[in-house]
Amino acid sequence: MKNKLYRFLIFGLIFMGLSCDKNFDEINTNNVDPTKESVDPIFLLNNAIINTSFSNAQLIYDLGVVQQIISPNSGVLTGANYNQDNRDVTDDHWVKYYENVIKNTGDILGQLQAEDAPDRPNLLHMTRLVQALTFMILTDEYGDIPYSEAGKGVSDQIVLPSYDSQEAIYADLISEVKEATAGLSASAPSENGEVLYSGEIAKWKKFGNSLLLRLGMHISEVNPSLAEQTVSEAFAAGLMESNEDNYVIRHDNNFTNNAGSLLNSTEANNFYMVDTFVDFLSSTNDPRLQSLALRFVGATSGPEQTVEAGVKDPEEQVGIPMGYDNGTIGGVASDLGLASFYDFTQVDRFLVAKQTAPMYIITYSQTQLLLAEAATRGWISGDAETFYNEGVRAHMQLMSSYDESVAIMEEEIDTYLTENPFDAANALEQIGNQYWVSCFLNGPEAFANFRRTGFPDLDSNPYPAQDISTDFINRLTYPNSEVATNNENLGAAVSRMGADNLDTNVWWDQ
């Protein structure tokens, strides 16, 4: 009986083994696993485009350096108002862009360029342009960065990329943008599924040329001959022609505006518009002040900052001064006749900085103002005053895109330009000041242009304990995550570029 039982068990095991082998490969194949072969790379491009929306490092550093928005509070908000290094900022440009943009663009390029004759050339060139834009922002913020080896973790298994010099990066970016823009073709297969321009090649080309213009202007002080050549080529090729051509990230409840999310949640009561910026707008009766600003008159606490209590009258706005912390700002507010520091003017976080607000990366307004500067330098044909007026007008017209309630009427724009006419004798400063305004909530570009031109002419931050020896922060420092994981390559960059601190100048800002 016992032997019969053993034979039965053995027979059963053999039968089960044979049964399990049947269709084994089919059963154990995951048909829903998204791999790079099965996912349309247009989705990777869309993810990259959406993530070119700025990180909140712009609130803590960029917009503070240019004296537009600061927080008097320390901790995770310590930054430009204190002129202090803060490598532990969790929402920084570096991590956001390398993990969410460069990784995706690198994967797309690795996949498409592996083919001898890619059948989606427009997707390839769109990806190159988005990647070039992102690398420009990164190198402008930090200086030398991983570039030629970045984004190649999948294609080339490079996990610790070397750093390239900013000079070499800019030379290659100019070449990349030219080639990618020229390679876009309306006769090639369309890419209507992309979220930026819905596949409209004409708009992509205008974006590419406007990016090229910006690259050229950024090097105006370090390599004026290459700058003039680049700007001239971009101008001849065709730039953005209206606000319809803007490179803008349109946010919604699923993909929220980073700044809007922060300013409407944990830090709703902690960021304020700087008096330098508020006073500049007020002194020229600029209608943008009423669109952008909101003050909770008499507020003594965060809970008192309600929509109903908000005041948008330009005459009621009071900007916060630089260089005070949460221990000293209360006395300053009291001296100004305010109830508390909660009484200072904020950006209107319910309209202009709401969670679904658009974020503008490159605009027609900025492009026109750069052309005004280029015309003033004699680099292009055209009238500097015309470019200037159109740049100012375009930014004022942009206010309606945040909310119709803050739209600026055409007659108000006309009045402003009549009362504040273009002054050819003071053109570069006037253009620089308007570019500063046009870059409000575009911290990286405002920071870059301020360093390049010196405009606006700002007083240095008087905060007593500072991590800088110069008047202003010149660059951002590499994050701790990079120090910990890629220190050897980072060290090589530092030995070439200069100390990894806030004082070191990037290459084009010598």
Side-chain angles (χ1 to χ4, degrees):
M1 183 69 182
K2 192 174 184 180
N3 290 335
K4 288 182 179 180
L5 179 60
Y6 284 151
R7 285 196 296 270
F8 177 78
L9 289 173
I10 291 170
F11 176 78
L13 290 172
I14 293 172
F15 177 78
M16 290 174 64
L18 292 172
S19 298
C20 288
D21 282 341
K22 185 179 181 181
N23 299 325
F24 180 83
D25 290 339
E26 180 180 347
I27 293 171
N28 287 278
T29 299
N30 185 352
N31 294 315
V32 296
D33 180 34
T35 64
K36 67 177 184 178
E37 288 81 13
S38 63
V39 174
D40 188 332
I42 196 70
F43 296 120
L44 298 181
L45 176 60
N46 285 340
N47 193 32
I49 291 171
I50 291 167
N51 279 290
T52 55
S53 183
F54 303 123
S55 77
N56 282 326
Q58 73 156 334
L59 286 170
I60 300 171
Y61 279 100
D62 304 81
L63 293 172
V65 176
V66 300
Q67 300 185 13
Q68 290 182 335
I69 294 177
I70 60 167
S71 172
N73 296 321
S74 56
V76 297
L77 304 182
T78 298
N81 184 50
Y82 292 69
N83 276 337
Q84 289 181 2
D85 192 355
N86 189 348
R87 298 173 189 272
D88 293 324
V89 173
T90 55
D91 185 12
D92 64 10
H93 301 307
W94 187 283
V95 173
K96 185 177 192 294
Y97 283 150
Y98 275 112
E99 289 188 357
N100 300 308
V101 181
I102 301 304
K103 181 185 183 301
N104 283 305
T105 57
D107 288 349
I108 298 169
L109 295 178
Q111 180 178 341
L112 295 180
Q113 291 176 335
E115 306 169 13
D116 292 333
D119 58 1
R120 303 178 72 175
N122 283 334
L123 176 61
L124 173 67
H125 298 310
M126 291 171 183
T127 302
R128 293 171 72 186
L129 288 176
V130 172
Q131 180 168 274
L133 167 67
T134 307
F135 275 132
M136 180 193 70
I137 296 171
L138 282 166
T139 190
D140 289 344
E141 294 284 298
Y142 298 95
D144 293 6
I145 58 168
Y147 175 72
S148 58
E149 293 185 350
K152 296 183 177 179
V154 172
S155 62
D156 295 14
Q157 288 75 56
I158 298 175
V159 295
L160 296 175
S162 61
Y163 284 56
D164 297 82
S165 71
Q166 186 177 68
E167 183 175 7
I169 292 169
Y170 255 81
D172 194 69
L173 284 176
I174 289 171
S175 177
E176 266 290 287
V177 171
K178 286 181 184 179
E179 290 180 10
T181 305
L184 292 164
S185 173
S187 62
S190 62
E191 299 292 345
N192 297 334
E194 57 84 7
V195 297
L196 183 60
Y197 294 121
S198 299
E200 290 189 47
I201 296 302
K203 289 183 181 293
W204 273 97
K205 280 183 171 289
K206 286 184 281 189
F207 155 58
N209 292 324
S210 299
L211 173 58
L212 184 63
L213 170 69
R214 183 167 293 191
L215 286 164
M217 294 304 295
H218 279 190
I219 61 173
S220 64
E221 305 306 306
V222 71
N223 192 340
S225 60
L226 178 58
E228 180 177 359
Q229 176 187 341
T230 304
V231 167
S232 177
E233 290 179 12
F235 179 62
L239 304 165
M240 291 177 174
E241 298 177 330
S242 73
N243 280 329
E244 295 300 313
D245 298 328
N246 291 335
Y247 186 113
V248 53
I249 309 302
R250 296 175 177 83
H251 297 98
D252 57 25
N253 290 325
N254 294 314
F255 300 100
T256 57
N257 182 308
N258 288 321
S261 296
L262 188 71
L263 295 175
N264 284 282
S265 58
T266 57
E267 309 305 334
N269 318 121
N270 291 329
F271 282 95
Y272 296 85
M273 289 175 66
V274 180
D275 56 0
T276 309
F277 188 63
V278 171
D279 293 347
F280 176 81
L281 297 177
S282 177
S283 66
T284 57
N285 293 318
D286 194 317
R288 285 171 288 193
L289 180 58
Q290 184 161 353
S291 296
L292 298 172
L294 185 68
R295 180 179 164 220
F296 304 95
V297 178
T300 60
S301 66
E304 294 183 15
Q305 294 182 336
T306 62
V307 176
E308 296 74 22
V311 174
K312 295 186 69 63
D313 184 349
E315 295 185 0
E316 295 289 335
Q317 306 308 319
V318 181
I320 194 170
M322 296 287 297
Y324 296 91
D325 56 31
N326 48 11
T328 57
I329 192 62
V332 175
S334 179
D335 291 343
L336 292 172
L338 305 184
S340 71
F341 79 82
Y342 297 101
D343 201 353
F344 283 112
T345 293
Q346 293 186 311
V347 60
D348 189 340
R349 64 181 188 267
F350 304 115
L351 298 176
V352 177
K354 58 190 175 185
Q355 295 188 64
T356 57
M359 186 170 285
Y360 291 95
I361 313 298
I362 293 183
T363 67
Y364 171 62
S365 168
Q366 295 156 7
T367 299
Q368 288 293 296
L369 290 169
L370 290 179
L371 290 179
E373 180 184 343
T376 300
R377 291 175 178 269
W379 289 357
I380 60 170
S381 60
D383 180 53
E385 181 176 1
T386 300
F387 291 132
Y388 172 85
N389 287 341
E390 187 62 16
V392 174
R393 180 179 300 276
H395 188 243
M396 290 188 178
Q397 290 171 336
L398 210 59
M399 294 299 103
S400 64
S401 68
Y402 294 109
D403 196 275
E404 281 300 326
S405 66
V406 295
I408 299 175
M409 300 297 101
E410 287 298 317
E411 53 268 28
E412 295 179 275
I413 301 175
D414 292 339
T415 298
Y416 176 83
L417 290 173
T418 299
E419 294 179 350
N420 300 275
F422 180 73
D423 179 8
N426 193 38
L428 290 180
E429 181 173 8
Q430 193 175 25
I431 294 165
N433 289 344
Q434 285 300 325
Y435 199 81
W436 176 55
V437 179
S438 184
C439 288
F440 184 69
L441 296 178
N442 184 332
E445 181 61 13
F447 182 33
N449 205 64
F450 168 64
R451 285 174 290 165
R452 177 180 72 89
T453 65
F455 298 124
D457 184 11
L458 303 175
D459 292 330
S460 60
N461 183 347
Y463 192 75
Q466 306 188 33
D467 288 340
I468 61 173
S469 58
T470 54
D471 288 337
F472 298 95
I473 293 173
N474 290 319
R475 63 178 284 273
L476 300 190
T477 53
Y478 300 121
N480 279 333
S481 58
E482 186 70 2
V483 175
T485 59
N486 198 16
N487 191 55
E488 183 177 350
N489 287 320
L490 185 154
V494 170
S495 66
R496 176 179 60 238
M497 181 181 65
D500 182 21
N501 58 33
L502 303 176
D503 284 329
T504 296
N505 296 85
V506 299
W507 163 72
W508 53 251
D509 182 32
Q510 300 302 317

